[in-house]
């Protein structure tokens, strides 16, 4: 039996390679395309979601797993680990963390199952998860891991730029988007996660290669002062020359030991749409 197991809901957008490398288990959320229900990362892809959404002119409905699903999932993990640390997307965006906590109560295992609200999304959460997994694999206790993660949470810098406002506007997940969504100009807003919620900032204009180049330039000094262990480049569409240009620019900084590249899963992609991309890191002390 291992001392500590790390679990995440499926919104953290970690690749299969990273999940396997760090021994992280995933509890997937659900996606509803009309009357049809799918499991994130299991039987639906972001590209299939985009096709449906554009055809129906709707944003998919996303939903957390049921308490019963969480209970069954935890039962299996409790047979393998003495304690579990579970990461959820920000509680202001989904009830997944609350459902995890309810499942722990139902199993009367609150002393063994510890739920962390990441106050973030996508690989902003992923940064915290990998830190926790590394600590767990190196023999740190649950209390030591949680203390470290809580200290890191305010230092996570998660942001992205979207190609289209349509998906965020339909979904209503980002405060302030409605005010700019109706503009006739081709606007690509900078979206940041602040204390668990998404907020629009600078408005970029022009072709996406130019937009992303400007986006990275705007955060370059912060990137140079960031913790140097790793940085994520996470994108929601195809890995094309626009994505490669951002990856190369971040690598050329010569600051990070790892530049990790992931594609957003179906939940995050449902709300951001194709063509979104972000650079996510932990700010230096």
């Amino acid at each position: 039996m291992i001392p500590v197991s790390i679990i995440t809901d499926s919104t953290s957008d970690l690749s299969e390679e990273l999940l396997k490398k760090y021994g992280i288990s995933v509890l997937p959320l659900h996606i509803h395309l009309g009357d049809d229900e799918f499991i994130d990362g299991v039987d639906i892809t972001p590209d299939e979601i985009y096709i449906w959404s554009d055809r129906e002119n709707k944003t998919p409905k996303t939903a957390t797993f049921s308490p019963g699903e969480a209970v069954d999932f935890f039962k299996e993990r409790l047979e393998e680990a003495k304690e579990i640390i579970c990461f959820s997307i920000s509680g202001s965006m989904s009830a997944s963390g609350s459902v995890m906590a309810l499942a722990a109560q139902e199993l009367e295992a609150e002393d063994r199952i510890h739920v962390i609200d990441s106050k973030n999304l996508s690989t902003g959460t992923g940064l915290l998860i990998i830190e926790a997994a590394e600590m767990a694999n190196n023999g740190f206790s649950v209390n030591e891991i949680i203390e470290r993660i809580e200290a890191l949470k305010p230092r996570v810098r998660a942001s992205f730029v979207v190609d289209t406002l349509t998906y965020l506007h339909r979904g209503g997940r980002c405060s302030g988007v409605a005010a700019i969504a109706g503009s006739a100009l081709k606007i690509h807003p900078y979206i940041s996660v602040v204390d668990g919620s998404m907020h629009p900032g600078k408005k970029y204009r022009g072709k996406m290669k130019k937009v992303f180049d400007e986006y990275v330039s705007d955060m370059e000094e912060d990137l140079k002062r960031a913790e140097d262990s790793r940085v994520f480049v996470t994108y929601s569409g195809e890995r094309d020359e626009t994505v490669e240009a951002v990856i190369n620019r971040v690598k050329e900084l010569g600051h990070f030991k790892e530049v990790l590249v992931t594609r957003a899963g179906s939940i995050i992609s449902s709300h951001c749409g194709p063509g979104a991309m972000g650079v996510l890191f932990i700010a230096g002390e």
Side-chain angles (χ1 to χ4, degrees), residues 207-221:
K207 293 185 177 180
M208 293 311 294
K209 189 176 187 304
K210 171 181 174 293
V211 166
F212 287 126
D213 189 63
E214 190 175 350
Y215 163 66
V216 177
S217 293
D218 285 344
M219 70 172 74
E220 185 168 321
E221 292 306 312

Side-chain angles (χ1 to χ4, degrees), residues 8-278:
T8 176
D9 69 26
S10 60
T11 65
S12 59
D13 292 341
L14 295 175
S15 66
E16 288 297 325
E17 179 183 4
L18 289 170
L19 295 171
K20 183 177 181 180
K21 177 180 178 180
Y22 291 104
I24 300 161
S25 300
V26 177
L27 182 52
L29 277 73
H30 296 209
I31 299 163
H32 296 266
L33 305 183
D35 295 330
D36 298 320
E37 183 174 6
F38 302 91
I39 306 299
D40 185 19
V42 176
D43 55 8
I44 188 71
T45 68
D47 290 332
E48 290 170 328
I49 288 170
Y50 300 147
I51 292 169
W52 179 90
S53 188
D54 290 341
R55 184 181 70 236
E56 302 294 327
N57 196 30
K58 296 177 182 178
T59 290
K61 302 293 183 183
T62 57
T64 190
F65 33 79
S66 70
E69 287 175 297
V71 165
D72 291 342
F73 188 85
F74 287 155
K75 280 181 179 178
E76 292 183 15
R77 274 69 197 174
L78 288 171
E79 293 178 359
E80 304 167 351
K82 293 179 180 178
E83 294 188 84
I84 295 171
I85 297 177
C86 312
F87 285 84
S88 74
I89 190 174
S90 172
S92 66
M93 301 179 193
S94 171
S96 69
S98 298
V99 174
M100 287 175 172
L102 285 172
Q105 291 175 17
E106 185 170 334
L107 289 168
E108 298 182 348
E110 296 100 318
D111 59 331
R112 296 178 62 193
I113 299 174
H114 311 272
V115 180
I116 294 179
D117 179 343
S118 72
K119 295 287 185 180
N120 224 293
L121 53 68
S122 188
T123 48
T125 306
L127 287 161
L128 299 173
I129 294 167
I130 290 179
E131 181 77 16
E134 284 188 328
M135 292 182 72
N137 293 338
N138 285 320
F140 286 87
S141 70
V142 162
N143 289 339
E144 289 172 320
I145 296 170
I146 292 174
E147 182 179 0
R148 170 67 172 161
I149 296 305
E150 291 298 330
L152 284 180
K153 277 164 62 172
R155 292 168 50 199
V156 174
R157 299 293 180 263
S159 66
F160 55 97
V161 177
V162 297
D163 183 20
T164 172
L165 287 164
T166 302
Y167 288 74
L168 280 171
H169 181 47
R170 286 179 192 153
R173 291 300 179 98
C174 181
S175 62
V177 163
I180 56 176
S183 173
L185 298 174
K186 186 67 172 175
I187 292 175
H188 310 286
Y190 168 99
I191 309 289
S192 60
V193 181
V194 180
D195 195 28
S197 298
M198 291 187 289
H199 300 278
K202 180 175 180 177
K203 303 174 186 67
Y204 298 99
R205 292 177 174 84
K207 293 185 177 180
M208 293 311 294
K209 189 176 187 304
K210 171 181 174 293
V211 166
F212 287 126
D213 189 63
E214 190 175 350
Y215 163 66
V216 177
S217 293
D218 285 344
M219 70 172 74
E220 185 168 321
E221 292 306 312
D222 289 334
L223 286 167
K224 290 177 179 177
R225 292 191 294 266
E227 281 210 354
D228 65 358
S229 53
R230 63 186 56 86
V231 61
F232 274 101
V233 176
T234 300
Y235 61 98
S236 65
E238 294 297 323
R239 182 166 174 169
D240 57 15
E241 67 275 3
T242 304
V243 177
E244 294 299 332
V246 172
I247 295 167
N248 290 334
R249 277 212 59 185
V250 174
K251 287 181 176 179
E252 287 167 4
L253 293 175
H255 179 72
F256 295 99
K257 295 172 185 173
E258 285 188 301
V259 177
L260 301 174
V261 182
T262 66
R263 181 173 181 177
S266 297
I267 297 293
I268 300 299
S269 296
S270 292
H271 298 292
C272 293
M277 182 160 45

